[in-house]
C-alpha cells in the first residue's frame, strides 16, 4: 500500500467521522426544534416539548396572550399546559374565539361539581357534566332533592372557588389506575364510564380537591369564572335510559364578561314572560286536556280566530301566486304507506293501524302521497306544468309524552304544505318563486331576519348523480338570485333530494326552524308518476315539497312569543273592546258593537257595572289593541274615544272612522307594509 493511498484512507476515515458528527448535531437540531404554522400562514420555529403557554410567549403579543385560554394544535383543542412535540398548525383560543365559551362552561361544570361535593359531602355521586348550547349542566346522584336555596348556596360556593383560582391540572394514567382511584372515592358512575370506555390510558382533570374523568381542554385556572349562574334543576335518567336511576341535573351558565351574563339572564326572564304556554292560557288561545290526550291541541275561540286569520291570509297569498288549494283525508290504506316508503322509513313515527272492513288504514304523518294520488287521477302533460298544489293538511305523528311541549312539539298538527310538480328545467324558477312567496309571507308576520341552509347529497341516497347535481345547482342559483346569504350543510340533504331550510329569528334573537323546500326524486318513482313531454314521450316529473311556516301550531307558538301576545292589529283575535262608563250608555254601546261587527271589525263589549279603570286594566291584560270608551259625551256626538293598549289616546272619532282605521291596519298587515 503506498503512502498516499494510506493517507487517503485515513482522510476518508476522518471525513467519515466528521460527517457523522455533523449529522448527529444536525439530527439533534432537527429533534430539538419544531415548526408551528400560525393562522396567518406564517411558520415559526420553537423548541420541541415547549408548552402551549411558553410558545405563546414567543408567538403572540402580551395582550393577546393574556386573553388566551387554550389553543388549537393541529385539529385538537388543548390546554395551555400541554407540551408541543411535533410540527403542527397552531392557533390561540382567546376569549373571543367561538370555541372559548364551551371551554369556559365545561370548566364551570367541573367547578359546580367541586362546589356540590364541598357543600354536600360524600353522600353525593357525580355523573356527567358537559357544556351545552346556552351553558352547562352536571348530573348528581343524591338521596335528598336539591332545593332552590341549595342552588343559591352552590352558586356562592362556585364564586368562592373561582376567587381561589385553582389551576386545572391534566393527568394521564392507565384506565385501571383511574378505576382504582374512583372506586376508592366511591364514585361509581365514573367507574362505570371508565369500564365502558375500554381505553388503555385516560386523562383526568384535577382542580382543588375535585378530580374528574375528562378529555379536556380546560381553562388554565378557575379564576376565569367571573360570571357564573346556577339556573335551574331537573330530573334526568342516568345515560338517558328510563330504566336507570333518575339523577338530579343542575343547569348553569357562564360568560367571560359579567355584562354578557346580565344580558343573557334578562333574555331568559323575557322568554319566561313570553312563554306561549303561559300566554296561551292567559289569553285563552289554546289548551290541552287530559281527557283528550297529550300533544293534541284544543283551539279556544280566540286562538281559533287567530288561526283562521292566518289560514285565510295563507290561502289568499297562495291563490294569488298561482297555487291551487287541495283538501285530503286524515287516513289512508296501509298499502299506500307501503308504496310511499313511509312504513319502512317513517313507521316508528306513525300511529298504529286500524281495521276497516278487513282492510288496514293508518293516520297520515304526511300529506304528500295524497297529492300524488290526485296527480295520478289522470294523464298529465307538460303543458299544465308547473302544478302548484297546497293544503293546510293535518297530520299525526308519534312523539314521546316527555318530548311534547306546548304548541312547539305536538302529536297532531297542521302543515302548511305544498307540492310542486314540474320539469327539471322549471326547477330554478320554481324554487325562486317559492323563496319569494316564503319571504313575503314571513315578512307579513314580522320576521325579516333569517338563517338559510342548503343541504347537499348524503351518503345514502336515491337518484342519479346528474339529477342531484342539477337540482343542487338550481337551489343554489335561486338562492343567489334572491340575494339570500346561505350556508352549505354538506351531506345533510334528505336521502331523496337536496333541500333549503330557513330559520327565522324572533325579537329575542332566538332561531326557529320553519320553512323547508325539498326536491324529491324518490316519490315520483315509487308512485310511477309520468307526464307527456314536448317530445310526445313519457317522463318523470320533479316533485318539490315545501312548507313555509312548518306547522300552524308551532308557528303560532313562535308568534305568541315573538309578540308576547300583543299581536299586531291585523292578527289580533280581538281588535277592539267597547266599554261604557255607566249603564246610561248601554244601548248606544250595543249599537256601536253591532255596527262594528257588520263592518268586519273583531270587536267585544264589556258593559259590566264595573269601574272604567278596572275594565281598562283587564283589556290591557288581554292585550286588546283598542279600547273604545263611551260616556255621555261620546253618546251625544255619536262617537267613541279610542285608547291604545300602551295607554295613549287617539282623538274621539265616529264609528265609521274607527272601522276605516281598522280596515287600513288590516291591509297594511296583510301586505307587510307595516313591517317595511
Ligand atoms: Zn370534563
Ligand atoms: Zn311532501
Amino acid at each position: 500500500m503506498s503512502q498516499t493511498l494510506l493517507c487517503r484512507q485515513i482522510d476518508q476515515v476522518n471525513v467519515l467521522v466528521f460527517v457523522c458528527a455533523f449529522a448527529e448535531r444536525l439530527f439533534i437540531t432537527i429533534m430539538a426544534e419544531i415548526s408551528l404554522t400560525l393562522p396567518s400562514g406564517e411558520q415559526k420555529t420553537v423548541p420541541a416539548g415547549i408548552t402551549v403557554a411558553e410558545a405563546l410567549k414567543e408567538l403572540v403579543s402580551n395582550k393577546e396572550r393574556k386573553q388566551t385560554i387554550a389553543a388549537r394544535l393541529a385539529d385538537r383543542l388543548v390546554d395551555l399546559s400541554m407540551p408541543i412535540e411535533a410540527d403542527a398548525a397552531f392557533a390561540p383560543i382567546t376569549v373571543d374565539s367561538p370555541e372559548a365559551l364551551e371551554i369556559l362552561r365545561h370548566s364551570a361544570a367541573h367547578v359546580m361539581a367541586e362546589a356540590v361535593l364541598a357543600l354536600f359531602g360524600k353522600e353525593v355521586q357525580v355523573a356527567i357534566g358537559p357544556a351545552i348550547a346556552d351553558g352547562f349542566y352536571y348530573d348528581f346522584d343524591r338521596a335528598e332533592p336539591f332545593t332552590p336555596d341549595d342552588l343559591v348556596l352552590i352558586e356562592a360556593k362556585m364564586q368562592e372557588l373561582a376567587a381561589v383560582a385553582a389551576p386545572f391540572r391534566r393527568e394521564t394514567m392507565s384506565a385501571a389506575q383511574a378505576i382504582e382511584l374512583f372506586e376508592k372515592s366511591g364514585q361509581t358512575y365514573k367507574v362505570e364510564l371508565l369500564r365502558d370506555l375500554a381505553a388503555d390510558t385516560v386523562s383526568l382533570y384535577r382542580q382543588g380537591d375535585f378530580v374528574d374523568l375528562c378529555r379536556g381542554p380546560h381553562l388554565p385556572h378557575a379564576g376565569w369564572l367571573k360570571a357564573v349562574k346556577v339556573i335551574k334543576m331537573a330530573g334526568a335518567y342516568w345515560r338517558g335510559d328510563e330504566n336507570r336511576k333518575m339523577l338530579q341535573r343542575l343547569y348553569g351558565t357562564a360568560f367571560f364578561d359579567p355584562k354578557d351574563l346580565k344580558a343573557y339572564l334578562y333574555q331568559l326572564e323575557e322568554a319566561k314572560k313570553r312563554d306561549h304556554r303561559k300566554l296561551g292560557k292567559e289569553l285563552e288561545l289554546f289548551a290541552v286536556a287530559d281527557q283528550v290526550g297529550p300533544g293534541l291541541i284544543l283551539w279556544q275561540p280566540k286562538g281559533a280566530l287567530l288561526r283562521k286569520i292566518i289560514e285565510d291570509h295563507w290561502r289568499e297569498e297562495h291563490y294569488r301566486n298561482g297555487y291551487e288549494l287541495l283538501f285530503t283525508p286524515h287516513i289512508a290504506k296501509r298499502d299506500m304507506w307501503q308504496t310511499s316508503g313511509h312504513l319502512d322509513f317513517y313507521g316508528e313515527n306513525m300511529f298504529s293501524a286500524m281495521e276497516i272492513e278487513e282492510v288496514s288504514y293508518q293516520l297520515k304523518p304526511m300529506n304528500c302521497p295524497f297529492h300524488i294520488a290526485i296527480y295520478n287521477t289522470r294523464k298529465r302533460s307538460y303543458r299544465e306544468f308547473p302544478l302548484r298544489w297546497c293544503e293546510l293538511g293535518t297530520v299525526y305523528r308519534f312523539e314521546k309524552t316527555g318530548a311534547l311541549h306546548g304548541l312547539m312539539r305536538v302529536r297532531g298538527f297542521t302543515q302548511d304544505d305544498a307540492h310542486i310538480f314540474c320539469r327539471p328545467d322549471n326547477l330554478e324558477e320554481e324554487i325562486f318563486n317559492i323563496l319569494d312567496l316564503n319571504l313575503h309571507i314571513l315578512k307579513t308576520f314580522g320576521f325579516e331576519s333569517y338563517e338559510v341552509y342548503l343541504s347537499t347529497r348524503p351518503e345514502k341516497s336515491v337518484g342519479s348523480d346528474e339529477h342531484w347535481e342539477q337540482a343542487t345547482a338550481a337551489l343554489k342559483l335561486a338562492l343567489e338570485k334572491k340575494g339570500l346569504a346561505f350556508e352549505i350543510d354538506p351531506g345533510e340533504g334528505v336521502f331523496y333530494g337536496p333541500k333549503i331550510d330557513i330559520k327565522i329569528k324572533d325579537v329575542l334573537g332566538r332561531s326557529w326552524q320553519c320553512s323547508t323546500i325539498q326536491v324529491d326524486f324518490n316519490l315520483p318513482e315509487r308512485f310511477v308518476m309520468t307526464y307527456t313531454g314536448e317530445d310526445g314521450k313519457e317522463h318523470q316529473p320533479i316533485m318539490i315539497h315545501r312548507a313555509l311556516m312548518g306547522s300552524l301550531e308551532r308557528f303560532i307558538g313562535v308568534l305568541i312569543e315573538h309578540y308576547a301576545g300583543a299581536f299586531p292589529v291585523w292578527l289580533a283575535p280581538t281588535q277592539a273592546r267597547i266599554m261604557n262608563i255607566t249603564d246610561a250608555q248601554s244601548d248606544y254601546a250595543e249599537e256601536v258593537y253591532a255596527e262594528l261587527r257588520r263592518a268586519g271589525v273583531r270587536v267585544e263589549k264589556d258593559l259590566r257595572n264595573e269601574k272604567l279603570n278596572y275594565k281598562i286594566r283587564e283589556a290591557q291584560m288581554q292585550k286588546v289593541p283598542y279600547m273604545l270608551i263611551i260616556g255621555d259625551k261620546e253618546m251625544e256626538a255619536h262617537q267613541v274615544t279610542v285608547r291604545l293598549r300602551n295607554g295613549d289616546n287617539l282623538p274621539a272619532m265616529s264609528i265609521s272612522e274607527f272601522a276605516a282605521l281598522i280596515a287600513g291596519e288590516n291591509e297594511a298587515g296583510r301586505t307587510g307594509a307595516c313591517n317595511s
Side-chain angles (χ1 to χ4, degrees):
M1 201 181 278
S2 77
Q3 190 73 32
T4 38
L5 196 65
L6 185 69
C7 277
R8 197 176 298 152
Q9 274 181 339
I10 291 168
D11 261 8
Q12 277 175 346
V13 171
N14 281 342
V15 166
L16 203 67
V17 168
F18 177 74
V19 168
C20 283
F22 180 74
E24 199 180 306
R25 265 183 55 202
L26 196 71
F27 189 60
I28 289 165
T29 327
I30 291 168
M31 277 297 287
E33 293 212 313
I34 52 173
S35 155
L36 298 178
T37 312
L38 300 180
S40 62
E42 200 183 345
Q43 296 204 335
K44 293 269 182 150
T45 309
V46 294
I50 187 177
T51 64
V52 170
E54 286 159 353
L56 285 167
K57 278 188 196 157
E58 300 194 14
L59 301 176
V60 303
S61 69
N62 257 344
K63 197 173 156 217
E64 186 177 356
R65 188 168 57 83
K66 283 187 181 145
Q67 296 294 303
T68 302
I69 55 155
R72 183 178 290 284
L73 199 58
D75 286 336
R76 212 174 131 211
L77 290 174
V78 297
D79 301 312
L80 293 188
S81 58
M82 179 68 83
I84 312 174
E85 308 288 1
D87 292 356
F90 178 88
I93 302 294
T94 67
V95 295
D96 303 320
S97 309
E99 302 91 339
L101 267 183
E102 195 180 327
I103 296 172
L104 176 82
R105 288 167 177 174
H106 183 69
S107 301
H110 280 223
V111 174
M112 180 194 261
E114 185 185 1
V116 168
L117 287 178
L119 288 167
F120 303 97
K122 293 252 181 297
E123 52 165 321
V124 185
Q125 296 226 24
V126 297
I128 51 162
I132 49 172
D134 282 336
F136 62 90
Y137 68 77
Y138 214 112
D139 286 349
F140 300 97
D141 184 359
R142 179 179 180 238
E144 241 178 281
F146 290 113
T147 64
D149 287 346
D150 291 341
L151 301 201
V152 176
L153 282 179
I154 294 165
E155 187 180 303
K157 189 75 190 171
M158 287 175 77
Q159 281 156 353
E160 204 179 288
L161 292 168
V164 175
F168 285 86
R169 290 190 205 282
R170 183 188 174 90
E171 297 168 22
T172 49
M173 60 179 74
S174 72
Q177 276 175 306
I179 288 173
E180 202 189 314
L181 187 145
F182 284 114
E183 264 174 351
K184 232 183 235 164
S185 57
Q187 293 295 344
T188 57
Y189 291 95
K190 297 292 171 192
V191 173
E192 183 184 327
L193 288 174
L194 274 160
R195 292 228 155 93
D196 288 359
L197 210 58
D200 296 334
T201 52
V202 294
S203 57
L204 305 184
Y205 277 82
R206 217 180 262 280
Q207 96 273 358
D209 296 330
F210 181 72
V211 61
D212 205 345
L213 170 67
C214 184
R215 221 172 314 161
H218 278 286
L219 297 168
H221 58 79
W224 283 92
L225 292 170
K226 292 194 180 72
V228 56
K229 181 91 198 156
V230 180
I231 289 174
K232 61 173 180 183
M233 55 190 163
Y237 291 109
W238 168 232
R239 304 189 117 174
D241 180 348
E242 56 205 275
N243 299 313
R244 305 290 304 266
K245 192 160 185 182
M246 173 76 88
L247 305 175
Q248 299 187 62
R249 176 168 294 178
L250 298 188
Y251 286 94
T253 194
F255 290 87
F256 286 101
D257 189 338
K259 262 191 271 165
D260 293 338
L261 175 64
K262 212 174 146 198
Y264 174 78
L265 293 176
Y266 171 77
Q267 207 197 22
L268 212 61
E269 225 18 70
E270 267 308 292
K272 226 186 252 173
K273 275 191 238 158
R274 289 163 182 265
D275 189 323
H276 73 282
R277 293 167 302 176
K278 176 176 159 278
L279 286 170
K281 199 181 234 172
E282 287 169 10
L283 304 178
E284 298 195 307
L285 298 172
F286 70 92
V288 277
D290 209 26
Q291 197 173 36
V292 177
L296 300 167
I297 302 302
L298 301 167
W299 292 97
Q300 292 169 285
K302 282 189 182 146
L305 194 49
L306 171 63
R307 179 170 161 162
K308 181 206 173 282
I309 296 157
I310 295 171
E311 289 190 2
D312 287 351
H313 176 58
W314 186 92
R315 289 198 173 99
E316 274 160 30
E317 285 294 337
H318 279 73
Y319 196 75
R320 279 181 16 187
N321 281 278
Y323 284 74
E324 310 297 333
L325 303 172
L326 304 181
F327 285 99
T328 62
H330 289 222
I331 61 170
K333 282 188 196 163
R334 200 173 152 83
D335 283 355
M336 184 182 85
W337 301 113
Q338 197 72 60
T339 305
S340 67
H342 282 97
L343 279 180
D344 288 336
F345 299 109
Y346 205 72
E348 62 196 34
N349 300 80
M350 293 173 72
F351 284 95
S352 326
M354 58 191 115
E355 301 292 316
I356 300 166
E357 292 176 336
E358 284 163 44
V359 178
S360 255
Y361 284 79
Q362 283 201 278
L363 269 173
K364 67 169 163 185
M366 292 188 197
N367 305 299
C368 339
F370 297 89
H371 293 195
I372 293 174
I374 294 176
Y375 182 99
N376 280 343
T377 50
R378 66 168 170 79
K379 274 183 88 67
R380 301 284 169 184
S381 152
Y382 76 94
R383 287 175 204 282
E384 54 187 319
F385 277 3
L387 290 171
R388 304 186 188 113
W389 289 349
C390 67
E391 177 184 13
L392 292 168
T394 302
V395 298
Y396 299 87
R397 295 181 188 174
F398 173 70
E399 296 272 3
K400 283 191 177 165
T401 320
L404 300 171
H405 181 85
L407 290 174
M408 303 298 187
R409 200 110 177 234
V410 290
R411 284 185 174 157
F413 58 93
T414 301
Q415 281 185 308
D416 68 315
D417 213 350
H419 294 99
I420 287 113
F421 303 102
C422 64
R423 300 190 308 202
D425 57 306
N426 298 138
L427 199 52
E428 188 199 320
E429 195 186 338
E430 281 312 299
I431 301 289
F432 181 83
N433 290 339
I434 292 169
L435 286 172
D436 217 33
L437 178 63
N438 198 334
L439 297 194
H440 169 69
I441 290 186
L442 291 177
K443 183 180 158 194
T444 58
F445 289 109
F447 301 110
E448 290 193 82
S449 170
Y450 322 104
E451 287 167 17
V452 185
Y453 301 89
L454 170 62
S455 304
T456 59
R457 188 174 194 172
E459 252 173 59
K460 273 194 187 165
S461 57
V462 299
S464 68
D465 290 352
E466 191 198 343
H467 278 151
W468 273 90
E469 273 157 33
Q470 251 178 23
T472 310
L475 296 186
K476 216 167 158 182
L477 267 170
L479 283 169
E480 281 162 4
K481 219 166 117 188
K482 187 71 200 149
L484 277 173
F486 60 94
E487 260 178 60
I488 294 192
D489 253 349
E492 287 301 308
V494 203
F495 76 92
Y496 51 72
K499 63 166 182 170
I500 293 171
D501 287 320
I502 300 178
K503 289 184 184 176
I504 55 176
K505 277 210 168 151
D506 73 8
V507 75
L508 294 185
R510 297 173 300 178
S511 294
W512 303 93
Q513 164 71 52
C514 285
S515 317
T516 185
I517 305 168
Q518 310 183 349
V519 181
D520 188 345
F521 309 123
N522 180 46
L523 287 182
E525 173 110 39
R526 282 178 169 269
F527 283 96
V528 205
M529 299 171 73
T530 61
Y531 70 92
T532 312
E534 220 168 337
D535 54 6
K537 291 188 188 131
E538 296 294 287
H539 299 270
Q540 196 177 83
I542 293 261
M543 179 173 186
I544 306 169
H545 309 258
R546 183 238 65 172
L548 306 183
M549 301 189 266
S551 89
L552 278 172
E553 282 73 8
R554 193 155 176 281
F555 191 74
I556 291 173
V558 174
L559 274 180
I560 294 170
E561 300 205 357
H562 182 62
Y563 287 114
F567 301 108
V569 175
W570 78 285
L571 282 174
T574 305
Q575 297 174 312
R577 189 181 280 185
I578 298 165
M579 302 163 196
N580 55 347
I581 295 175
T582 66
D583 282 343
Q585 303 98 31
S586 291
D587 289 347
Y588 173 62
E590 290 282 4
E591 218 176 281
V592 173
Y593 173 75
E595 200 173 327
L596 285 175
R597 277 232 161 191
R598 276 197 300 274
V601 177
R602 297 188 293 271
V603 62
E604 289 174 349
K605 54 190 174 183
D606 182 355
L607 308 183
R608 291 173 301 168
N609 189 11
E610 294 283 357
K611 285 227 162 59
L612 182 63
N613 276 344
Y614 177 78
K615 293 188 192 182
I616 289 175
R617 206 169 56 241
E618 268 197 4
Q620 274 171 333
M621 298 277 285
Q622 287 294 304
K623 321 222 178 200
V624 176
Y626 292 110
M627 286 154 253
L628 306 182
I629 296 159
I630 295 173
D632 284 339
K633 200 176 73 196
E634 286 82 5
M635 188 166 71
E636 271 150 38
H638 252 251
Q639 284 184 325
V640 288
T641 286
V642 182
R643 190 185 162 93
L644 307 182
R645 58 187 155 192
N646 68 6
D648 290 350
N649 287 300
L650 297 181
M653 58 181 84
S654 72
I655 301 163
S656 59
E657 277 168 335
F658 181 71
L661 178 103
I662 294 291
E665 296 230 31
N666 285 343
E667 182 60 16
R670 271 197 299 265
T671 55
C674 57
N675 296 321
S676 48

